[in-house]
Amino acid sequence: MDIGIYTSDFENEFISLTDIARYKSDEPKDVIKNWMRSKDTLEFLGLWEKLHNPNFKGVEFYAFKNQAGSNSFTMSPQKWIESTVAIGIVGKSGRYGGTYAHSDIAFEFASWISSEFKLYIINDYKRLKTEENSRPSLNWNLNREISELNYRVHTDAVKAYLIPPELTPAQVSFAYASEADLLNTVLFGKTSREWREENPYAKGNIRDNVTSYQLLVLSNMESYNAVLINQGKSQKERMKLLHELAVQQMSTLSKIELSNLPGIEQKSDT
């Protein structure tokens, strides 16, 4: 069964108690309320809030704790949240709405539902976390790449490397069988085969060993090349126009002051 998970700060994850409760009944709201009536449950929720929530209202909590267990006592997520300013349980609306709880609390709820079910949930949760942690952080990768580019584009040598070289008469007149190699020549000054001969021990191909800027411009060149082909431009004409586009875009990108972007750390000397 599908169980919803969401996170607000990429550290603390909240799991749907509503989805878990469906394992036990078609009326998940009633299942959650019955669980929250228990004195043991309230003690657990109160302890969690004391550890994580400085605004937790202890007076209201102790009032509920003293009433818990009596036949007349009722408790709902909304009543708990509003009365104690709890943060461990939240209500969400919309398509994937319902009652969500911090993973610590959700596992406790799952244990109340079924010890076997709790074990399944924990194992699947650990699997998701392992998969998540095995992928490099997108933000870290982005910052690292931009920081690396920022370091490169501010050196004359690399700026010269980033700007596509002038096409030689031989390159302009050469008939390229592959449009990919035509673009490689325009942007990098060489075909894929020529690059491989120059870099016999490099991993991947020529496009696996270039900067993000160059890949961005290459993508734009591919779209522009398709337009030129539809216009009936010859290969020689297209090479000149594509080279002008590449030089203009790479020159612009190389002048970007990446250090002014928020949240980007400068590359250290170590």
Side-chain angles (χ1 to χ4, degrees):
M1 60 185 293
D2 292 331
I3 297 178
I5 298 178
Y6 87 92
T7 180
S8 59
D9 58 9
F10 302 99
E11 292 183 0
N12 297 306
E13 289 179 320
F14 286 71
I15 301 176
S16 174
L17 297 187
T18 302
D19 289 340
I20 295 176
R22 289 196 179 97
Y23 175 84
K24 194 173 184 70
S25 170
D26 292 332
E27 298 294 335
K29 291 183 179 179
D30 293 339
V31 175
I32 297 172
K33 288 179 180 179
N34 286 335
W35 173 67
M36 296 187 72
R37 290 183 67 245
S38 165
K39 188 169 186 177
D40 290 340
T41 298
L42 287 183
E43 286 181 344
F44 180 86
L45 294 178
L47 177 59
W48 190 95
E49 294 292 340
K50 289 178 183 178
L51 293 174
H52 300 89
N53 182 6
N55 298 317
F56 181 60
K57 294 185 177 181
V59 175
E60 286 76 1
F61 160 64
Y62 285 113
F64 288 146
K65 181 180 175 182
N66 291 333
Q67 299 174 45
S70 65
N71 293 334
S72 60
F73 179 70
T74 60
M75 179 57 67
S76 67
Q78 183 177 3
K79 182 178 179 181
W80 172 254
I81 295 168
E82 292 178 352
S83 300
T84 66
V85 195
I87 60 173
I89 295 179
V90 298
K92 291 183 68 68
S93 58
R95 181 180 178 184
Y96 302 103
T99 300
Y100 284 73
H102 189 278
S103 56
D104 297 342
I105 298 172
F107 293 150
E108 178 68 17
F109 178 61
S111 180
W112 180 80
I113 294 287
S114 162
S115 296
E116 181 184 18
F117 189 53
K118 176 187 178 182
L119 183 60
Y120 280 126
I121 290 179
I122 291 177
N123 286 337
D124 205 44
Y125 178 80
K126 288 165 65 177
R127 177 187 61 81
L128 289 173
K129 295 301 294 181
T130 299
E131 292 178 357
E132 176 184 303
N133 292 333
S134 67
R135 296 189 299 268
S137 167
L138 177 61
N139 286 340
W140 184 87
N141 255 351
L142 179 60
N143 287 354
R144 181 178 182 275
E145 181 66 19
I146 293 180
S147 180
E148 181 72 15
L149 287 171
N150 184 49
Y151 174 75
R152 290 185 176 183
V153 299
H154 286 87
T155 64
D156 291 338
V158 176
K159 282 186 179 180
Y161 164 70
L162 288 176
I163 306 303
E166 290 293 330
L167 296 173
T168 66
Q171 288 174 328
V172 174
S173 61
F174 187 80
Y176 293 89
S178 166
E179 289 296 323
D181 258 344
L182 182 146
L183 296 178
N184 289 338
T185 301
V186 170
L187 186 56
F188 310 124
K190 62 194 71 177
T191 64
S192 182
R193 180 177 179 180
E194 290 170 338
W195 180 88
R196 172 54 58 192
E197 291 174 350
E198 294 176 5
N199 304 273
Y201 302 108
K203 294 183 179 180
N205 56 41
I206 186 172
R207 300 188 182 194
D208 295 323
N209 291 271
V210 297
T211 68
S212 297
Y213 279 4
Q214 288 170 314
L215 289 177
L216 173 62
V217 173
L218 182 62
S219 176
N220 294 337
M221 287 172 59
E222 288 173 337
S223 299
Y224 187 40
N225 190 38
V227 173
L228 296 177
I229 291 174
N230 289 333
Q231 292 177 352
K233 300 289 186 182
S234 67
Q235 191 176 87
K236 184 176 180 179
E237 292 175 312
R238 287 189 285 115
M239 285 193 73
K240 291 181 177 179
L241 292 171
L242 288 167
H243 184 263
E244 291 175 1
L245 173 69
V247 170
Q248 180 218 353
Q249 293 198 355
M250 289 306 302
S251 297
T252 300
L253 289 172
S254 68
K255 295 175 183 177
I256 292 178
E257 290 293 336
L258 292 177
S259 58
N260 290 332
L261 293 178
I264 303 301
E265 296 182 359
Q266 294 298 308
K267 180 181 178 72
S268 66
D269 294 331
T270 57

Short mmCIF file of all heavy atoms in Angstrom, two decimals, residues 162-168 171-172 182-189 217 221 224-225 228 235-251:
data_model
loop_
_atom_site.label_atom_id
_atom_site.label_comp_id
_atom_site.label_asym_id
_atom_site.label_seq_id
_atom_site.Cartn_x
_atom_site.Cartn_y
_atom_site.Cartn_z
N LEU A 162 37.15 28.43 -23.08
CA LEU A 162 35.70 28.37 -23.19
C LEU A 162 35.18 28.92 -24.51
O LEU A 162 34.19 28.45 -25.04
CB LEU A 162 35.05 29.13 -22.03
CG LEU A 162 35.13 28.48 -20.64
CD1 LEU A 162 34.55 29.41 -19.59
CD2 LEU A 162 34.40 27.16 -20.62
N ILE A 163 35.83 29.94 -25.03
CA ILE A 163 35.36 30.55 -26.27
C ILE A 163 35.74 29.64 -27.43
O ILE A 163 36.90 29.25 -27.58
CB ILE A 163 35.99 31.95 -26.47
CG1 ILE A 163 35.72 32.81 -25.24
CG2 ILE A 163 35.43 32.59 -27.73
CD1 ILE A 163 34.27 32.96 -24.89
N PRO A 164 34.77 29.26 -28.27
CA PRO A 164 35.06 28.36 -29.38
C PRO A 164 36.16 28.91 -30.28
O PRO A 164 36.19 30.10 -30.58
CB PRO A 164 33.72 28.28 -30.12
CG PRO A 164 32.70 28.63 -29.10
CD PRO A 164 33.36 29.62 -28.20
N PRO A 165 37.08 28.06 -30.72
CA PRO A 165 38.15 28.52 -31.60
C PRO A 165 37.62 28.87 -32.98
O PRO A 165 36.54 28.43 -33.38
CB PRO A 165 39.08 27.30 -31.67
CG PRO A 165 38.17 26.13 -31.42
CD PRO A 165 37.15 26.62 -30.44
N GLU A 166 38.37 29.71 -33.69
CA GLU A 166 37.99 30.06 -35.06
C GLU A 166 38.02 28.82 -35.94
O GLU A 166 38.90 27.97 -35.82
CB GLU A 166 38.95 31.12 -35.63
CG GLU A 166 38.79 32.49 -34.98
CD GLU A 166 37.44 33.13 -35.30
OE1 GLU A 166 36.89 32.85 -36.40
OE2 GLU A 166 36.92 33.90 -34.47
N LEU A 167 37.05 28.72 -36.82
CA LEU A 167 37.01 27.60 -37.74
C LEU A 167 38.05 27.80 -38.84
O LEU A 167 38.17 28.89 -39.40
CB LEU A 167 35.62 27.47 -38.37
CG LEU A 167 34.47 27.13 -37.40
CD1 LEU A 167 33.13 27.21 -38.14
CD2 LEU A 167 34.66 25.76 -36.78
N THR A 168 38.77 26.74 -39.13
CA THR A 168 39.75 26.82 -40.21
C THR A 168 39.04 26.65 -41.55
O THR A 168 37.93 26.09 -41.61
CB THR A 168 40.81 25.72 -40.06
OG1 THR A 168 40.16 24.44 -40.23
CG2 THR A 168 41.44 25.76 -38.69
N GLN A 171 38.05 23.11 -42.08
CA GLN A 171 36.89 22.66 -41.31
C GLN A 171 35.59 23.14 -41.94
O GLN A 171 34.60 22.41 -42.00
CB GLN A 171 36.99 23.17 -39.87
CG GLN A 171 38.04 22.47 -39.03
CD GLN A 171 38.21 23.11 -37.66
OE1 GLN A 171 38.04 24.32 -37.50
NE2 GLN A 171 38.55 22.30 -36.65
N VAL A 172 35.59 24.36 -42.42
CA VAL A 172 34.38 24.91 -43.04
C VAL A 172 34.02 24.15 -44.31
O VAL A 172 32.84 23.92 -44.59
CB VAL A 172 34.57 26.41 -43.35
CG1 VAL A 172 33.37 26.96 -44.12
CG2 VAL A 172 34.76 27.20 -42.05
N LEU A 182 29.54 17.86 -36.53
CA LEU A 182 29.54 19.23 -37.00
C LEU A 182 29.46 20.18 -35.80
O LEU A 182 30.21 21.15 -35.71
CB LEU A 182 28.37 19.46 -37.95
CG LEU A 182 28.25 20.86 -38.58
CD1 LEU A 182 27.69 20.76 -39.99
CD2 LEU A 182 27.33 21.77 -37.74
N LEU A 183 28.55 19.87 -34.88
CA LEU A 183 28.41 20.72 -33.69
C LEU A 183 29.65 20.64 -32.80
O LEU A 183 30.06 21.64 -32.21
CB LEU A 183 27.16 20.29 -32.91
CG LEU A 183 25.82 20.48 -33.63
CD1 LEU A 183 24.68 19.97 -32.76
CD2 LEU A 183 25.59 21.92 -34.01
N ASN A 184 30.22 19.43 -32.69
CA ASN A 184 31.45 19.29 -31.91
C ASN A 184 32.56 20.17 -32.46
O ASN A 184 33.30 20.82 -31.72
CB ASN A 184 31.91 17.83 -31.91
CG ASN A 184 31.01 16.93 -31.09
OD1 ASN A 184 30.30 17.40 -30.20
ND2 ASN A 184 31.03 15.64 -31.37
N THR A 185 32.68 20.20 -33.77
CA THR A 185 33.73 20.99 -34.41
C THR A 185 33.50 22.48 -34.20
O THR A 185 34.43 23.24 -33.93
CB THR A 185 33.79 20.67 -35.91
OG1 THR A 185 34.04 19.26 -36.08
CG2 THR A 185 34.90 21.46 -36.60
N VAL A 186 32.25 22.90 -34.31
CA VAL A 186 31.93 24.31 -34.15
C VAL A 186 32.23 24.78 -32.72
O VAL A 186 32.81 25.85 -32.51
CB VAL A 186 30.45 24.58 -34.49
CG1 VAL A 186 30.05 25.99 -34.09
CG2 VAL A 186 30.20 24.37 -35.98
N LEU A 187 31.85 23.96 -31.73
CA LEU A 187 31.97 24.39 -30.34
C LEU A 187 33.33 24.05 -29.72
O LEU A 187 33.90 24.84 -28.96
CB LEU A 187 30.86 23.77 -29.49
CG LEU A 187 30.76 24.22 -28.03
CD1 LEU A 187 30.62 25.73 -27.93
CD2 LEU A 187 29.59 23.53 -27.34
N PHE A 188 33.84 22.87 -30.06
CA PHE A 188 35.08 22.41 -29.42
C PHE A 188 36.31 22.44 -30.33
O PHE A 188 37.43 22.23 -29.87
CB PHE A 188 34.90 20.98 -28.89
CG PHE A 188 33.66 20.79 -28.07
CD1 PHE A 188 32.73 19.83 -28.41
CD2 PHE A 188 33.41 21.58 -26.97
CE1 PHE A 188 31.58 19.65 -27.65
CE2 PHE A 188 32.26 21.42 -26.20
CZ PHE A 188 31.34 20.45 -26.56
N GLY A 189 36.07 22.67 -31.63
CA GLY A 189 37.20 22.74 -32.56
C GLY A 189 37.71 21.40 -33.01
O GLY A 189 38.78 21.31 -33.64
N VAL A 217 25.20 25.63 -24.12
CA VAL A 217 25.31 26.23 -25.44
C VAL A 217 25.11 25.16 -26.52
O VAL A 217 24.48 25.41 -27.55
CB VAL A 217 26.67 26.93 -25.61
CG1 VAL A 217 26.86 27.41 -27.04
CG2 VAL A 217 26.77 28.11 -24.64
N MET A 221 22.56 25.17 -29.59
CA MET A 221 23.04 25.01 -30.97
C MET A 221 22.25 23.92 -31.69
O MET A 221 21.94 24.05 -32.89
CB MET A 221 24.53 24.65 -30.96
CG MET A 221 25.44 25.82 -30.59
SD MET A 221 27.15 25.27 -30.37
CE MET A 221 27.49 24.54 -31.98
N TYR A 224 18.99 25.43 -32.74
CA TYR A 224 19.23 26.40 -33.82
C TYR A 224 19.58 25.69 -35.12
O TYR A 224 19.13 26.08 -36.20
CB TYR A 224 20.35 27.35 -33.41
CG TYR A 224 20.59 28.51 -34.36
CD1 TYR A 224 19.52 29.18 -34.96
CD2 TYR A 224 21.88 28.93 -34.65
CE1 TYR A 224 19.75 30.24 -35.83
CE2 TYR A 224 22.11 30.00 -35.50
CZ TYR A 224 21.04 30.65 -36.09
OH TYR A 224 21.27 31.70 -36.95
N ASN A 225 20.35 24.61 -35.01
CA ASN A 225 20.74 23.85 -36.20
C ASN A 225 19.53 23.25 -36.89
O ASN A 225 19.44 23.22 -38.12
CB ASN A 225 21.73 22.75 -35.81
CG ASN A 225 22.36 22.08 -37.02
OD1 ASN A 225 22.66 22.74 -38.02
ND2 ASN A 225 22.56 20.78 -36.94
N LEU A 228 17.89 25.93 -38.93
CA LEU A 228 18.67 26.23 -40.13
C LEU A 228 18.50 25.15 -41.19
O LEU A 228 18.45 25.44 -42.39
CB LEU A 228 20.15 26.39 -39.76
CG LEU A 228 20.50 27.56 -38.83
CD1 LEU A 228 21.97 27.53 -38.49
CD2 LEU A 228 20.10 28.89 -39.47
N GLN A 235 25.48 23.11 -45.28
CA GLN A 235 26.29 22.80 -44.10
C GLN A 235 27.33 23.89 -43.84
O GLN A 235 27.57 24.26 -42.69
CB GLN A 235 26.99 21.44 -44.30
CG GLN A 235 27.64 20.91 -43.04
CD GLN A 235 28.23 19.55 -43.22
OE1 GLN A 235 29.38 19.41 -43.62
NE2 GLN A 235 27.46 18.50 -42.93
N LYS A 236 27.89 24.43 -44.91
CA LYS A 236 28.89 25.48 -44.78
C LYS A 236 28.27 26.73 -44.17
O LYS A 236 28.85 27.36 -43.27
CB LYS A 236 29.47 25.81 -46.16
CG LYS A 236 30.60 26.83 -46.14
CD LYS A 236 31.17 27.00 -47.54
CE LYS A 236 32.31 28.02 -47.55
NZ LYS A 236 32.89 28.18 -48.90
N GLU A 237 27.07 27.09 -44.61
CA GLU A 237 26.39 28.27 -44.06
C GLU A 237 26.02 28.05 -42.60
O GLU A 237 26.18 28.95 -41.76
CB GLU A 237 25.12 28.56 -44.87
CG GLU A 237 25.37 29.04 -46.28
CD GLU A 237 24.07 29.19 -47.05
OE1 GLU A 237 23.25 28.25 -47.02
OE2 GLU A 237 23.88 30.24 -47.70
N ARG A 238 25.57 26.83 -42.30
CA ARG A 238 25.16 26.54 -40.93
C ARG A 238 26.34 26.58 -39.97
O ARG A 238 26.22 27.04 -38.84
CB ARG A 238 24.48 25.16 -40.87
CG ARG A 238 23.08 25.17 -41.47
CD ARG A 238 22.32 23.89 -41.23
NE ARG A 238 22.79 22.81 -42.08
CZ ARG A 238 23.37 21.71 -41.63
NH1 ARG A 238 23.60 21.56 -40.33
NH2 ARG A 238 23.74 20.75 -42.46
N MET A 239 27.49 26.13 -40.42
CA MET A 239 28.67 26.14 -39.55
C MET A 239 29.03 27.56 -39.14
O MET A 239 29.35 27.83 -37.98
CB MET A 239 29.86 25.47 -40.25
CG MET A 239 29.77 23.96 -40.31
SD MET A 239 31.33 23.21 -40.81
CE MET A 239 32.32 23.43 -39.34
N LYS A 240 28.96 28.47 -40.08
CA LYS A 240 29.32 29.86 -39.78
C LYS A 240 28.31 30.47 -38.81
O LYS A 240 28.69 31.16 -37.85
CB LYS A 240 29.38 30.67 -41.07
CG LYS A 240 30.54 30.29 -41.99
CD LYS A 240 30.57 31.15 -43.23
CE LYS A 240 31.77 30.81 -44.11
NZ LYS A 240 31.81 31.62 -45.35
N LEU A 241 27.02 30.24 -39.06
CA LEU A 241 25.99 30.80 -38.19
C LEU A 241 26.04 30.17 -36.79
O LEU A 241 25.87 30.86 -35.78
CB LEU A 241 24.61 30.58 -38.82
CG LEU A 241 24.34 31.37 -40.11
CD1 LEU A 241 23.04 30.92 -40.76
CD2 LEU A 241 24.29 32.86 -39.80
N LEU A 242 26.27 28.88 -36.74
CA LEU A 242 26.36 28.20 -35.45
C LEU A 242 27.59 28.66 -34.66
O LEU A 242 27.54 28.80 -33.44
CB LEU A 242 26.42 26.68 -35.66
CG LEU A 242 25.11 26.02 -36.12
CD1 LEU A 242 25.36 24.59 -36.58
CD2 LEU A 242 24.07 26.04 -35.00
N HIS A 243 28.68 28.92 -35.37
CA HIS A 243 29.88 29.39 -34.70
C HIS A 243 29.65 30.78 -34.10
O HIS A 243 30.10 31.07 -32.99
CB HIS A 243 31.06 29.42 -35.68
CG HIS A 243 32.36 29.79 -35.05
ND1 HIS A 243 32.86 31.08 -35.07
CD2 HIS A 243 33.25 29.05 -34.32
CE1 HIS A 243 34.01 31.10 -34.42
NE2 HIS A 243 34.27 29.89 -33.96
N GLU A 244 28.95 31.63 -34.84
CA GLU A 244 28.64 32.96 -34.32
C GLU A 244 27.80 32.86 -33.05
O GLU A 244 28.04 33.59 -32.07
CB GLU A 244 27.89 33.77 -35.38
CG GLU A 244 28.76 34.15 -36.58
CD GLU A 244 27.94 34.84 -37.67
OE1 GLU A 244 26.71 35.03 -37.46
OE2 GLU A 244 28.51 35.18 -38.73
N LEU A 245 26.82 31.94 -33.07
CA LEU A 245 25.97 31.74 -31.89
C LEU A 245 26.80 31.24 -30.71
O LEU A 245 26.66 31.73 -29.57
CB LEU A 245 24.86 30.74 -32.21
CG LEU A 245 23.98 30.31 -31.01
CD1 LEU A 245 23.11 31.48 -30.56
CD2 LEU A 245 23.12 29.11 -31.36
N ALA A 246 27.67 30.28 -30.95
CA ALA A 246 28.48 29.70 -29.88
C ALA A 246 29.40 30.74 -29.25
O ALA A 246 29.52 30.83 -28.03
CB ALA A 246 29.30 28.52 -30.42
N VAL A 247 30.06 31.53 -30.08
CA VAL A 247 30.98 32.55 -29.57
C VAL A 247 30.23 33.57 -28.74
O VAL A 247 30.66 33.97 -27.65
CB VAL A 247 31.72 33.24 -30.74
CG1 VAL A 247 32.49 34.46 -30.23
CG2 VAL A 247 32.67 32.27 -31.40
N GLN A 248 29.07 34.01 -29.26
CA GLN A 248 28.29 35.02 -28.55
C GLN A 248 27.82 34.50 -27.19
O GLN A 248 27.96 35.18 -26.16
CB GLN A 248 27.07 35.42 -29.39
CG GLN A 248 26.21 36.48 -28.72
CD GLN A 248 24.72 36.26 -28.97
OE1 GLN A 248 24.32 35.39 -29.73
NE2 GLN A 248 23.91 37.02 -28.29
N GLN A 249 27.28 33.27 -27.15
CA GLN A 249 26.74 32.74 -25.89
C GLN A 249 27.85 32.40 -24.90
O GLN A 249 27.72 32.68 -23.70
CB GLN A 249 25.86 31.51 -26.18
CG GLN A 249 24.60 31.86 -26.94
CD GLN A 249 23.54 30.78 -26.85
OE1 GLN A 249 23.76 29.72 -26.29
NE2 GLN A 249 22.37 31.06 -27.40
N MET A 250 28.93 31.81 -25.36
CA MET A 250 30.02 31.47 -24.45
C MET A 250 30.69 32.72 -23.91
O MET A 250 31.12 32.77 -22.75
CB MET A 250 31.04 30.58 -25.14
CG MET A 250 30.57 29.15 -25.41
SD MET A 250 29.96 28.27 -23.94
CE MET A 250 31.38 28.35 -22.87
N SER A 251 30.77 33.76 -24.73
CA SER A 251 31.36 35.02 -24.26
C SER A 251 30.49 35.63 -23.17
O SER A 251 30.99 36.15 -22.17
CB SER A 251 31.50 36.01 -25.43
OG SER A 251 32.39 35.52 -26.41
#
